[in-house]
Amino acid sequence: NPKQQGYVNLKLENPANGEYLLGVFHMVPEGRLNILQTAAEVAAESSTGTNFRVNTETPFSKVMNALVYKLDLEKDLVWIAYPWRLFDRGGNIQNILTYIVGNILGIKEIKALKLLDVWFPPSMLEQYDGPSYTLDDMRKYLGVYGRPILGTIIKPKMGLTSAEYAEVCYDFWVGGGDFVKNDEPQANQDFCPYDKMVKHVKEAMDKAVKETGKKKVHSFNVSAADFDTMIGRCEMIINAGFEPGSYAFLIDGITAGWMAVQTLRRRYPGVFIHFHRAGHGAFTRPENPIGFSVLVLSKFARLAGTSGIHTGTAGVGKMKGTPEEDVVAAHGILYLRSKGHFFEQSWTKIPDMDRDIEELVSKDKAHGVILEDDSWRAVRKCCPIVSGGLNPIRLKPFIDVMGNVDFITTMGSGVHAHPGGTRVGAMSLVQACEAYLKGIDINEYAKDHKELAQAIDYFSRASKDAM
Ligand code: RUB
Ligand code: MG
């Protein structure tokens, strides 16, 4: 079929030449087409084509065809190269996804179609925002180094008044926690108006900072019905008098959309932009054959410039996830260079810099070191946010699979379900972290830390009948 031929080049020389965004799909056709024909249809639909060859093609339009350049028939894998000039100028993530995981996920002739990994050429990285305010900035603000940022999500998820909500924040902060996030549905509910919530959180934070002598951070959900309301929420927080660094903006990026995410990044480069991903399971879950992976979602979040995105607990918590998926994604957004499921992604914008950083990378296991004034040479790090059914006794097991402490963790039930309440729950979390840093087993450490002892007792019993 000549139409399909226009979208296949199994001899494409050096697809990593800078002109293409590369993608790998798991693909199982259903119907009359074989895998190569199906792959060509996918490449067509997600670049210039449609189901029939059209008479309106031009020599140039054909240059913009996406190309199937490699197949693995045993593993049902297909590699596609997309000329990235196809994409909207101005660094638009939404536009890329409209092509590469757009209409194609709905076509009839597939049983499985999942984008497992993507690769961005350096020339493309240059055109996208990447993060501005990073984990490093938050560490500097908090004065917290060499350990995860310890956070919570206020629970109950909903139903507290603004004053009650702020009191729980206060308890967590004075118990030693660093970071509090609104649970993602927290908005302007009649029983907890947004303006009052902001005002009470400010008072709670001021009090906690004064009493502990430590800086604290609150991540406010600014997701909203429309642009003006979202920006209104951001401005309300800024105008409440919070110190820069003490607040983050949380956007539920899947339900609110990439335009909201990028708007926040561009309007507020001095604020930590927190990407919560409710709904991602619909397309990322491994048992769902259609969609895209956590790694792909996370890499696009870094490209878009979010400061941090949830990457999962690698199976340690309550959400579905495996080290192969979650840890690879976390490393993919944190490091300057890391191995994905198929591609090794370097986030340097200048190909030559790869040689320059070679030394840096070999010296520093974290691969994440970028000098501040180097941001023009590389896309900055995006912070993994690790959450979902974690509690103090699961902190070390998670750090062990993650292989580093460069993340924010938020524990909801893991703090507020502690029999001693939120403040004591926070203390037990801090103690679990201290035990880890000192290399002492938590059961040993708990012998003279009763808050931790209670947490171990409660959560090891409670986990047996919980999710
Ligand atoms: C977790 C919570 C977050 C989930 C989202 O509360 O409220 O919304 O972490 O999942 P709890 P993910 O700590 O009580 O389970 O981080 O995987 O996107
Ligand atoms: Mg939540």
Side-chain angles (χ1 to χ4, degrees):
N1 176 329
K3 182 209 135 193
Q4 288 164 1
Q5 273 167 23
Y7 296 95
V8 176
N9 182 357
L10 296 174
K11 294 201 177 90
L12 183 66
E13 263 177 56
N14 190 15
N17 66 4
E19 284 172 36
Y20 302 102
L21 177 155
L22 307 179
V24 180
F25 285 89
H26 177 242
M27 185 182 294
V28 180
E30 181 171 63
R32 54 201 165 78
L33 304 182
N34 66 30
I35 188 164
L36 182 60
Q37 291 167 320
T38 309
E41 293 294 331
V42 166
E45 185 63 43
S46 47
S47 59
T48 57
T50 175
N51 50 336
F52 292 108
R53 185 172 186 170
V54 293
N55 299 320
T56 42
E57 270 184 348
T58 68
F60 179 74
S61 79
K62 285 193 256 182
V63 176
M64 291 295 103
N65 289 1
L67 299 168
V68 178
Y69 70 92
K70 193 173 153 183
L71 297 172
D72 180 333
L73 297 174
E74 258 154 50
K75 298 197 175 116
D76 300 323
L77 298 172
V78 169
W79 279 253
I80 298 180
Y82 305 84
W84 68 268
R85 283 176 74 194
L86 279 170
F87 306 137
D88 187 17
R89 285 187 286 177
N92 178 356
I93 303 296
Q94 164 280 324
N95 184 263
I96 305 178
L97 296 174
T98 285
Y99 281 103
I100 71 173
V101 283
N103 289 351
I104 54 155
L105 299 187
I107 62 176
K108 259 198 270 181
E109 289 85 7
I110 49 144
K111 207 153 57 190
L113 184 58
K114 196 151 193 178
L115 180 58
L116 302 175
D117 199 355
V118 283
W119 182 82
F120 311 125
S123 49
M124 195 179 156
L125 296 177
E126 224 180 314
Q127 304 295 317
Y128 291 78
D129 298 324
S132 169
Y133 191 97
T134 67
L135 171 66
D136 296 346
D137 298 306
M138 188 182 283
R139 285 197 181 286
K140 231 178 275 168
Y141 180 75
L142 286 168
V144 168
Y145 301 96
R147 65 162 173 84
I149 309 269
L150 303 177
T152 192
I153 311 123
I154 302 302
K155 306 278 171 174
K157 198 191 260 304
M158 198 46 64
L160 298 181
T161 65
S162 53
E164 289 164 344
Y165 176 92
E167 205 174 312
V168 183
C169 296
Y170 168 81
D171 284 342
F172 180 74
W173 283 323
V174 292
D178 309 304
F179 178 98
V180 176
K181 95 178 229 302
N182 273 158
D183 214 341
E184 64 283 354
Q186 183 75 52
N188 187 26
Q189 279 83 1
D190 64 44
F191 47 82
C192 186
Y194 205 86
D195 55 348
K196 283 199 176 162
M197 185 268 294
V198 170
K199 183 173 148 277
H200 284 129
V201 168
K202 172 77 171 63
E203 289 163 7
M205 185 186 280
D206 286 350
K207 202 158 161 245
V209 169
K210 207 163 156 208
E211 285 170 25
T212 59
K214 303 242 168 67
K215 300 284 191 194
K216 305 291 177 186
V217 177
H218 189 281
S219 183
F220 290 94
N221 178 32
V222 297
S223 312
D226 60 77
F227 173 87
D228 296 314
T229 311
M230 177 178 81
I231 298 299
R233 288 182 180 170
C234 297
E235 294 299 310
M236 190 190 289
I237 293 155
I238 293 168
N239 294 331
F242 282 94
E243 190 173 80
S246 69
Y247 57 90
F249 293 153
L250 181 148
I251 181 78
D252 219 356
I254 306 300
T255 52
W258 289 92
M259 215 169 120
V261 171
Q262 291 199 266
T263 298
L264 291 174
R265 160 64 182 86
R266 290 179 179 187
R267 285 228 158 187
Y268 301 106
V271 178
F272 188 97
I273 307 300
H274 177 165
F275 190 128
H276 188 275
R277 53 175 191 164
H280 75 93
F283 49 85
T284 62
R285 285 181 79 111
E287 65 270 42
N288 181 352
I290 296 170
F292 52 98
S293 67
V294 170
L295 175 66
V296 169
L297 170 66
S298 309
K299 287 181 79 170
F300 276 107
R302 182 175 185 175
L303 195 67
T306 51
S307 309
I309 180 171
H310 289 239
T311 50
T313 61
V316 176
K318 74 181 179 191
M319 309 298 264
K320 187 101 180 171
T322 59
E324 298 79 59
E325 185 69 89
D326 295 354
V327 174
V328 168
H331 292 183
I333 59 171
L334 185 67
Y335 296 154
L336 202 47
R337 190 194 301 172
S338 73
K339 283 205 171 68
H341 302 310
F342 296 91
F343 299 114
E344 181 161 4
Q345 178 75 54
S346 167
W347 292 87
T348 57
K349 299 175 188 173
I350 303 160
D352 282 354
M353 192 180 160
D354 263 346
R355 277 196 300 275
D356 295 0
I357 63 160
E358 206 62 61
E359 205 187 335
L360 197 67
V361 168
S362 60
K363 259 195 265 160
D364 169 49
K365 237 179 52 196
H367 302 211
V369 177
I370 307 177
L371 303 175
E372 225 117 287
D373 59 1
D374 267 355
S375 63
W376 61 273
R377 300 211 294 173
V379 178
R380 287 182 175 167
K381 66 174 71 166
C382 173
C383 174
I385 300 172
V386 179
S387 172
L390 290 180
N391 62 54
I393 63 176
R394 287 175 174 171
L395 180 67
K396 181 182 183 297
F398 180 76
I399 295 174
D400 290 343
V401 287
M402 179 73 152
N404 67 44
V405 292
D406 285 318
F407 58 91
I408 298 173
T409 179
T410 55
M411 303 184 183
S413 58
V415 166
H416 312 294
H418 190 291
T422 297
R423 187 179 186 145
V424 178
M427 290 168 75
S428 71
L429 173 56
V430 171
Q431 291 163 3
C433 187
E434 284 167 5
Y436 171 80
L437 295 173
K438 291 180 178 161
I440 302 172
D441 179 75
I442 49 165
N443 293 299
E444 191 56 36
Y445 203 66
K447 286 185 181 152
D448 46 7
H449 292 88
K450 67 173 191 310
E451 295 79 8
L452 182 59
Q454 276 180 306
I456 296 171
D457 178 57
Y458 177 80
F459 288 111
S460 45
R461 273 188 298 115
S463 335
K464 292 194 186 98
D465 13 84
M467 279 197 285

CSV table of all heavy atoms in Angstrom, one decimal, residues 73-108:
chain,number,residue,atom,x,y,z
A,73,LEU,N,9.4,-7.8,16.4
A,73,LEU,CA,8.2,-8.7,16.2
A,73,LEU,C,8.0,-9.6,17.4
A,73,LEU,O,6.9,-10.0,17.6
A,73,LEU,CB,8.4,-9.5,14.9
A,73,LEU,CG,8.4,-8.6,13.6
A,73,LEU,CD1,8.7,-9.4,12.4
A,73,LEU,CD2,7.2,-7.8,13.5
A,74,GLU,N,9.1,-10.0,18.1
A,74,GLU,CA,8.9,-10.9,19.2
A,74,GLU,C,8.2,-10.2,20.4
A,74,GLU,O,7.3,-10.8,21.0
A,74,GLU,CB,10.2,-11.4,19.7
A,74,GLU,CG,10.4,-12.8,19.2
A,74,GLU,CD,11.9,-13.2,19.1
A,74,GLU,OE1,12.6,-12.9,20.1
A,74,GLU,OE2,12.3,-13.7,18.0
A,75,LYS,N,8.6,-9.0,20.6
A,75,LYS,CA,8.0,-8.3,21.8
A,75,LYS,C,6.9,-7.3,21.4
A,75,LYS,O,6.4,-6.5,22.2
A,75,LYS,CB,9.1,-7.5,22.5
A,75,LYS,CG,10.3,-8.3,23.0
A,75,LYS,CD,11.1,-7.6,24.0
A,75,LYS,CE,12.1,-8.5,24.7
A,75,LYS,NZ,13.5,-8.0,24.4
A,76,ASP,N,6.5,-7.3,20.1
A,76,ASP,CA,5.4,-6.4,19.6
A,76,ASP,C,5.7,-5.0,19.9
A,76,ASP,O,4.9,-4.2,20.4
A,76,ASP,CB,4.1,-6.8,20.3
A,76,ASP,CG,3.6,-8.2,20.1
A,76,ASP,OD1,3.8,-8.7,18.9
A,76,ASP,OD2,3.1,-8.8,21.0
A,77,LEU,N,7.0,-4.6,19.5
A,77,LEU,CA,7.4,-3.2,19.8
A,77,LEU,C,7.6,-2.5,18.4
A,77,LEU,O,8.0,-3.1,17.5
A,77,LEU,CB,8.7,-3.1,20.6
A,77,LEU,CG,8.6,-3.7,22.0
A,77,LEU,CD1,10.0,-3.8,22.6
A,77,LEU,CD2,7.6,-2.9,22.9
A,78,VAL,N,7.2,-1.2,18.4
A,78,VAL,CA,7.4,-0.4,17.2
A,78,VAL,C,8.0,1.0,17.6
A,78,VAL,O,7.6,1.6,18.6
A,78,VAL,CB,5.9,-0.1,16.6
A,78,VAL,CG1,6.0,0.9,15.6
A,78,VAL,CG2,5.3,-1.4,16.1
A,79,TRP,N,9.0,1.4,16.8
A,79,TRP,CA,9.6,2.6,17.0
A,79,TRP,C,9.2,3.6,15.9
A,79,TRP,O,9.2,3.3,14.7
A,79,TRP,CB,11.2,2.5,16.9
A,79,TRP,CG,11.9,1.9,18.1
A,79,TRP,CD1,12.7,2.6,18.9
A,79,TRP,CD2,11.9,0.6,18.5
A,79,TRP,NE1,13.2,1.8,19.9
A,79,TRP,CE2,12.7,0.5,19.7
A,79,TRP,CE3,11.3,-0.6,18.1
A,79,TRP,CZ2,13.0,-0.6,20.4
A,79,TRP,CZ3,11.5,-1.8,18.8
A,79,TRP,CH2,12.4,-1.8,19.9
A,80,ILE,N,8.8,4.8,16.4
A,80,ILE,CA,8.3,5.8,15.4
A,80,ILE,C,9.1,7.1,15.6
A,80,ILE,O,9.4,7.5,16.8
A,80,ILE,CB,6.8,6.1,15.5
A,80,ILE,CG1,6.0,4.8,15.2
A,80,ILE,CG2,6.4,7.3,14.6
A,80,ILE,CD1,4.5,5.0,15.3
A,81,ALA,N,9.5,7.8,14.5
A,81,ALA,CA,10.2,9.1,14.6
A,81,ALA,C,9.3,10.1,14.0
A,81,ALA,O,8.7,10.0,12.9
A,81,ALA,CB,11.5,9.0,13.7
A,82,TYR,N,9.1,11.2,14.9
A,82,TYR,CA,8.2,12.3,14.5
A,82,TYR,C,9.0,13.5,14.2
A,82,TYR,O,9.7,14.0,15.1
A,82,TYR,CB,7.2,12.6,15.6
A,82,TYR,CG,6.4,11.5,16.2
A,82,TYR,CD1,6.9,10.6,17.1
A,82,TYR,CD2,5.1,11.3,15.7
A,82,TYR,CE1,6.2,9.5,17.6
A,82,TYR,CE2,4.4,10.2,16.2
A,82,TYR,CZ,4.9,9.3,17.2
A,82,TYR,OH,4.2,8.3,17.6
A,83,PRO,N,9.0,14.1,13.0
A,83,PRO,CA,9.7,15.3,12.7
A,83,PRO,C,9.1,16.4,13.7
A,83,PRO,O,7.9,16.6,13.7
A,83,PRO,CB,9.4,15.7,11.3
A,83,PRO,CG,8.6,14.5,10.7
A,83,PRO,CD,8.1,13.7,11.8
A,84,TRP,N,10.0,16.9,14.5
A,84,TRP,CA,9.3,17.8,15.5
A,84,TRP,C,9.0,19.2,15.1
A,84,TRP,O,8.3,19.9,15.8
A,84,TRP,CB,10.2,17.8,16.8
A,84,TRP,CG,11.5,18.4,16.8
A,84,TRP,CD1,12.7,17.8,16.6
A,84,TRP,CD2,11.8,19.8,17.1
A,84,TRP,NE1,13.7,18.7,16.7
A,84,TRP,CE2,13.2,20.0,17.0
A,84,TRP,CE3,11.0,20.9,17.5
A,84,TRP,CZ2,13.8,21.2,17.3
A,84,TRP,CZ3,11.6,22.1,17.7
A,84,TRP,CH2,13.0,22.2,17.6
A,85,ARG,N,9.3,19.4,13.8
A,85,ARG,CA,8.7,20.7,13.2
A,85,ARG,C,7.2,20.6,13.1
A,85,ARG,O,6.5,21.6,12.8
A,85,ARG,CB,9.3,21.0,11.9
A,85,ARG,CG,10.7,21.5,12.0
A,85,ARG,CD,11.4,21.7,10.6
A,85,ARG,NE,10.8,22.8,9.9
A,85,ARG,CZ,11.0,23.0,8.5
A,85,ARG,NH1,11.7,22.1,7.8
A,85,ARG,NH2,10.5,24.0,7.9
A,86,LEU,N,6.6,19.4,13.2
A,86,LEU,CA,5.2,19.2,13.2
A,86,LEU,C,4.5,20.0,14.3
A,86,LEU,O,3.4,20.4,14.2
A,86,LEU,CB,4.8,17.7,13.5
A,86,LEU,CG,4.9,16.7,12.4
A,86,LEU,CD1,4.8,15.3,13.0
A,86,LEU,CD2,3.8,17.0,11.4
A,87,PHE,N,5.3,20.1,15.4
A,87,PHE,CA,4.6,20.6,16.6
A,87,PHE,C,4.5,22.1,16.7
A,87,PHE,O,5.4,22.8,16.2
A,87,PHE,CB,5.4,20.1,17.9
A,87,PHE,CG,5.6,18.6,17.9
A,87,PHE,CD1,6.8,18.0,18.2
A,87,PHE,CD2,4.5,17.7,17.5
A,87,PHE,CE1,7.0,16.6,18.2
A,87,PHE,CE2,4.7,16.4,17.5
A,87,PHE,CZ,5.9,15.8,17.9
A,88,ASP,N,3.5,22.6,17.3
A,88,ASP,CA,3.2,24.0,17.6
A,88,ASP,C,4.5,24.7,18.1
A,88,ASP,O,5.1,24.2,19.1
A,88,ASP,CB,2.1,24.1,18.6
A,88,ASP,CG,1.6,25.5,18.8
A,88,ASP,OD1,1.9,26.4,18.0
A,88,ASP,OD2,1.0,25.8,19.9
A,89,ARG,N,4.9,25.8,17.5
A,89,ARG,CA,6.0,26.5,18.0
A,89,ARG,C,5.6,27.2,19.4
A,89,ARG,O,4.5,27.4,19.6
A,89,ARG,CB,6.5,27.6,17.0
A,89,ARG,CG,7.3,26.9,15.9
A,89,ARG,CD,7.8,28.0,15.0
A,89,ARG,NE,6.8,28.6,14.2
A,89,ARG,CZ,7.0,29.6,13.4
A,89,ARG,NH1,8.3,30.1,13.2
A,89,ARG,NH2,6.1,30.2,12.6
A,90,GLY,N,6.6,27.4,20.2
A,90,GLY,CA,6.3,28.1,21.5
A,90,GLY,C,6.2,27.1,22.6
A,90,GLY,O,5.6,27.4,23.7
A,91,GLY,N,6.7,25.9,22.4
A,91,GLY,CA,6.8,25.0,23.5
A,91,GLY,C,5.5,24.4,24.1
A,91,GLY,O,5.3,24.3,25.3
A,92,ASN,N,4.6,24.0,23.2
A,92,ASN,CA,3.3,23.5,23.6
A,92,ASN,C,3.2,22.0,23.8
A,92,ASN,O,3.3,21.2,22.8
A,92,ASN,CB,2.3,24.0,22.5
A,92,ASN,CG,0.9,23.6,22.8
A,92,ASN,OD1,0.6,22.8,23.7
A,92,ASN,ND2,0.0,24.0,21.9
A,93,ILE,N,3.1,21.5,25.0
A,93,ILE,CA,3.1,20.1,25.3
A,93,ILE,C,1.8,19.5,24.8
A,93,ILE,O,1.7,18.4,24.3
A,93,ILE,CB,3.2,19.8,26.8
A,93,ILE,CG1,4.5,20.5,27.4
A,93,ILE,CG2,3.1,18.4,27.2
A,93,ILE,CD1,5.8,19.9,26.9
A,94,GLN,N,0.7,20.2,25.1
A,94,GLN,CA,-0.6,19.7,24.7
A,94,GLN,C,-0.6,19.3,23.2
A,94,GLN,O,-1.2,18.3,22.8
A,94,GLN,CB,-1.7,20.9,25.0
A,94,GLN,CG,-3.0,20.8,24.3
A,94,GLN,CD,-3.0,21.2,22.9
A,94,GLN,OE1,-2.3,22.2,22.5
A,94,GLN,NE2,-3.8,20.6,22.1
A,95,ASN,N,0.0,20.1,22.4
A,95,ASN,CA,0.0,19.9,20.9
A,95,ASN,C,0.8,18.6,20.6
A,95,ASN,O,0.3,17.8,19.8
A,95,ASN,CB,0.7,21.1,20.2
A,95,ASN,CG,0.6,21.0,18.7
A,95,ASN,OD1,1.6,20.6,18.1
A,95,ASN,ND2,-0.5,21.3,18.1
A,96,ILE,N,1.8,18.3,21.3
A,96,ILE,CA,2.6,17.1,21.0
A,96,ILE,C,1.7,15.9,21.3
A,96,ILE,O,1.6,14.9,20.6
A,96,ILE,CB,3.9,17.0,21.9
A,96,ILE,CG1,4.8,18.2,21.7
A,96,ILE,CG2,4.6,15.7,21.5
A,96,ILE,CD1,6.0,18.2,22.5
A,97,LEU,N,1.1,15.9,22.5
A,97,LEU,CA,0.3,14.8,22.9
A,97,LEU,C,-0.9,14.6,22.0
A,97,LEU,O,-1.4,13.4,21.8
A,97,LEU,CB,-0.2,15.0,24.4
A,97,LEU,CG,1.0,15.0,25.4
A,97,LEU,CD1,0.6,15.3,26.8
A,97,LEU,CD2,1.8,13.7,25.4
A,98,THR,N,-1.5,15.7,21.5
A,98,THR,CA,-2.6,15.6,20.5
A,98,THR,C,-2.2,14.7,19.3
A,98,THR,O,-3.0,14.0,18.8
A,98,THR,CB,-3.0,17.0,20.1
A,98,THR,OG1,-3.7,17.6,21.2
A,98,THR,CG2,-3.9,17.0,18.9
A,99,TYR,N,-0.9,14.8,18.9
A,99,TYR,CA,-0.4,14.0,17.8
A,99,TYR,C,-0.2,12.6,18.3
A,99,TYR,O,-0.7,11.6,17.8
A,99,TYR,CB,0.9,14.5,17.3
A,99,TYR,CG,0.9,15.7,16.4
A,99,TYR,CD1,1.2,17.0,16.9
A,99,TYR,CD2,0.6,15.6,15.0
A,99,TYR,CE1,1.3,18.1,16.0
A,99,TYR,CE2,0.7,16.7,14.2
A,99,TYR,CZ,1.0,17.9,14.7
A,99,TYR,OH,1.1,19.0,13.8
A,100,ILE,N,0.8,12.5,19.2
A,100,ILE,CA,1.4,11.1,19.4
A,100,ILE,C,0.6,10.2,20.3
A,100,ILE,O,0.8,9.0,20.2
A,100,ILE,CB,2.9,11.3,19.9
A,100,ILE,CG1,3.0,11.7,21.4
A,100,ILE,CG2,3.7,12.2,19.0
A,100,ILE,CD1,4.4,11.7,21.9
A,101,VAL,N,-0.3,10.7,21.2
A,101,VAL,CA,-1.2,9.8,21.9
A,101,VAL,C,-2.6,10.4,21.8
A,101,VAL,O,-3.4,10.5,22.7
A,101,VAL,CB,-0.8,9.6,23.4
A,101,VAL,CG1,0.3,8.6,23.5
A,101,VAL,CG2,-0.4,11.0,24.0
A,102,GLY,N,-2.9,10.9,20.6
A,102,GLY,CA,-4.2,11.5,20.3
A,102,GLY,C,-5.2,10.5,19.7
A,102,GLY,O,-5.5,9.5,20.3
A,103,ASN,N,-5.7,10.8,18.5
A,103,ASN,CA,-6.7,10.0,17.8
A,103,ASN,C,-6.3,8.5,17.8
A,103,ASN,O,-7.2,7.7,17.8
A,103,ASN,CB,-6.8,10.5,16.4
A,103,ASN,CG,-7.6,11.8,16.3
A,103,ASN,OD1,-8.1,12.3,17.3
A,103,ASN,ND2,-7.6,12.4,15.1
A,104,ILE,N,-5.0,8.3,17.7
A,104,ILE,CA,-4.6,6.9,17.4
A,104,ILE,C,-5.0,5.9,18.5
A,104,ILE,O,-5.2,4.8,18.3
A,104,ILE,CB,-3.0,6.8,17.3
A,104,ILE,CG1,-2.3,7.4,18.5
A,104,ILE,CG2,-2.6,7.4,16.0
A,104,ILE,CD1,-1.0,6.8,18.8
A,105,LEU,N,-5.2,6.5,19.8
A,105,LEU,CA,-5.6,5.6,20.8
A,105,LEU,C,-7.0,5.1,20.7
A,105,LEU,O,-7.5,4.2,21.3
A,105,LEU,CB,-5.4,6.2,22.2
A,105,LEU,CG,-4.0,6.6,22.6
A,105,LEU,CD1,-3.9,7.1,24.0
A,105,LEU,CD2,-3.0,5.5,22.4
A,106,GLY,N,-7.7,5.7,19.8
A,106,GLY,CA,-9.1,5.4,19.5
A,106,GLY,C,-9.4,4.6,18.3
A,106,GLY,O,-10.5,4.2,18.0
A,107,ILE,N,-8.3,4.3,17.5
A,107,ILE,CA,-8.6,3.6,16.2
A,107,ILE,C,-9.0,2.2,16.4
A,107,ILE,O,-8.6,1.5,17.4
A,107,ILE,CB,-7.4,3.7,15.2
A,107,ILE,CG1,-6.1,3.1,15.7
A,107,ILE,CG2,-7.2,5.2,14.7
A,107,ILE,CD1,-5.0,3.1,14.7
A,108,LYS,N,-9.8,1.7,15.5
A,108,LYS,CA,-10.4,0.4,15.6
A,108,LYS,C,-9.4,-0.8,15.6
A,108,LYS,O,-9.5,-1.8,16.3
A,108,LYS,CB,-11.3,0.1,14.4
A,108,LYS,CG,-12.8,0.4,14.7
A,108,LYS,CD,-13.6,-0.3,13.7
A,108,LYS,CE,-13.9,0.7,12.6
A,108,LYS,NZ,-14.8,0.3,11.5
